[in-house]
Amino acid sequence: MTDIPQPGQISPNFTAINQDGNLVSLADFAGQWLVLYFYPKDDTPGCTTEAKDFSEYTQEFSNLGAKVVGVSVDSQQSHCKFIAKHNLSIILLSDPEHQVADAYGAWRLKKFMGKEYMGVERSTFAIAPDGTIAHTWAKVKAKGHAIAVLNRLQELTI
C-alpha cells in the first residue's frame, strides 16, 4: 500500500489502456493540467454521479487547460458500456491489476458490512503542467466533487 502523493511531489508515472484500447501515459498530458480521479466501479450510483458531473464540466476544465481522466479496475469493455450508457465525455482508464491505483495510494484496505477487503478508495489528484501534484483529495464523496475540483483548479490556474 503506497502513501498518497502530496502537493509538490512528482506525480507517479503510469500507463494504462483507455476505453478505446489505446495506451495512455502521464507523459501524454505534459504541459497541461490533469485531473486524475480514482473510483471503485463503473455504473454504481456514486461512481455514476461523479463521472456524469465530471463530464458535465468537461468544457470548463478544458477552458482551464485541463483534461479529466478516471481510473478504475474495470475492463475496457466495461468502460465502453459505462460511457455509452451515460453519455460520458471523459477518458476512462482500465487498471485491472491496480498498478496505477497503487502508485497513487488509492488501492487501500476498505470495510463494508463488517468485512475488510482491498479496493479503490475514491480519490482525486490535480497534476500541474510540470508533472507535480498540485492538490490531493482523499476519501472523496461523489456528490459535488467535480465542481469542488473545478473551483480548486480555477484557483490554481490564476
Side-chain angles (χ1 to χ4, degrees):
M1 212 165 34
T2 307
D3 288 336
I4 293 173
Q6 295 302 309
Q9 293 180 329
I10 297 291
S11 303
N13 199 8
F14 65 84
T15 300
I17 292 175
N18 73 2
Q19 68 270 12
D20 300 321
N22 299 317
L23 285 177
V24 175
S25 298
L26 178 62
D28 296 334
F29 303 97
Q32 63 184 309
W33 285 91
L34 173 62
V35 174
L36 187 67
Y37 83 95
F38 294 86
Y39 66 98
K41 186 151 181 52
D42 286 347
D43 215 20
T44 55
C47 297
T48 300
T49 295
E50 190 174 26
K52 287 172 74 173
D53 287 353
F54 273 122
S55 290
E56 181 181 335
Y57 295 111
T58 299
Q59 188 58 55
E60 288 84 347
F61 281 105
S62 184
N63 291 346
L64 295 173
K67 290 276 191 214
V68 177
V69 175
V71 182
S72 78
V73 297
D74 295 301
S75 69
Q76 173 196 346
Q77 294 79 10
S78 176
H79 285 341
C80 285
K81 289 177 189 167
F82 187 38
I83 287 168
K85 181 176 179 180
H86 298 287
N87 197 28
L88 304 177
S89 59
I90 54 178
I91 299 166
L92 297 180
L93 300 182
S94 179
D95 186 27
E97 303 296 319
H98 53 81
Q99 293 171 323
V100 182
D102 196 43
Y104 281 83
W107 186 253
R108 310 209 62 80
L109 186 64
K110 298 174 75 173
K111 289 183 183 179
F112 182 70
M113 295 179 68
K115 294 199 186 298
E116 290 187 338
Y117 64 97
M118 294 299 290
V120 174
E121 182 176 275
R122 196 181 306 277
S123 48
T124 303
F125 301 87
I127 301 173
D130 67 0
T132 59
I133 301 289
H135 196 89
T136 300
W137 292 264
K139 297 184 181 173
V140 167
K141 299 288 183 241
K143 189 169 174 53
H145 181 58
I147 193 70
V149 172
L150 182 62
N151 289 337
R152 182 67 181 122
L153 203 57
Q154 286 169 330
E155 294 168 5
L156 291 167
T157 57
I158 291 174

